[in-house]
Amino acid sequence: MTKKRYLAAPLLALSLLPPASTADEQDVIDYRRHIMDTLKAQTAALGMIMSGAIPDDNVVAHIDIIAATAATALKAFEPHVEGGDAKAEVWAKWDDFSARMNEFAAKTAAMAKTAHEQGKDEALAQAVDALSCKQCHDVYREKEKRGE
Amino acid sequence: MTKKRYLAAPLLALSLLPPASTADEQDVIDYRRHIMDTLKAQTAALGMIMSGAIPDDNVVAHIDIIAATAATALKAFEPHVEGGDAKAEVWAKWDDFSARMNEFAAKTAAMAKTAHEQGKDEALAQAVDALSCKQCHDVYREKEKRGE
């Protein structure tokens, strides 16, 4: 009986976890950080171009990279592994979090489509709306944890 | 005569500089760092998938992002602005540096093409050759400057 309970507990736990739960918890945290670091670096690069600090040769590439990365982000948060910069609210309010992430992916994809079909200036007009990073970070990301 | 020489020197210098040289020097350094940070984050994410630590849902996206970012990198080094993690060799050996960067862009583009046309496993077989980051970093990047 004791043995049966011992076996049942982890099996039940596994059945409740999302697919990626076999990965080590630190791996999950590191992986999503790589994705968010990419978004941070690419939006910073785009911002430098938008401000005129850097010539705009790469602007469409940056927009494409942001859109491609945004599309990978939600998957990285599916395993319920708290820690890193993520607040517990990510999973406590998963419906809202995932809706916002999907909206982010959709808006950045639309911006990339505009860049290819209408041009960079038309695409950049969508940037402020598409890259409303702070609205999510205020709710779902720990503040100042990484000295940022 | 003195005034003439004073004016001629910066004009001559400007004529020898690549197009992006009007940007502030720190902006140039920051911009190329954003691009290299993206490559670091995305190759780390890809490496986690290749090692089996993370499921491979996003693997084609990571390959696409690496290829798109690689294609932006050379432009970021065109302004001859020393500093950051870049060694002076970048500009002293520009022909070699730019040839390696172009090869990096070509190989990662080929890997992305393989991913879309033949599948992720075939693409990942090209990863070690396409992502030979260390060979360039050993020559052109300062060691341990950022504690890495």
Side-chain angles (χ1 to χ4, degrees), chain B residues 90-124:
Chain B
V90 167
W91 298 278
K93 303 179 183 175
W94 182 257
D95 286 352
D96 177 67
F97 179 81
S98 58
R100 290 191 193 208
M101 273 293 203
N102 285 326
E103 188 186 10
F104 172 51
K107 284 187 174 180
T108 52
M111 180 168 65
K113 190 166 183 281
T114 299
H116 289 278
E117 293 181 357
Q118 300 177 47
K120 56 193 177 189
D121 292 337
E122 288 77 2
L124 290 177

Side-chain angles (χ1 to χ4, degrees), chain A residues 6 10 22 29 32 37 43 54 61 73 92 105-106 112 116 124-125 141:
Chain A
Y6 175 76
T22 49
I29 293 169
R32 67 191 184 217
D37 280 351
T43 52
I54 294 289
H116 289 277
L124 290 177
R141 190 177 71 166

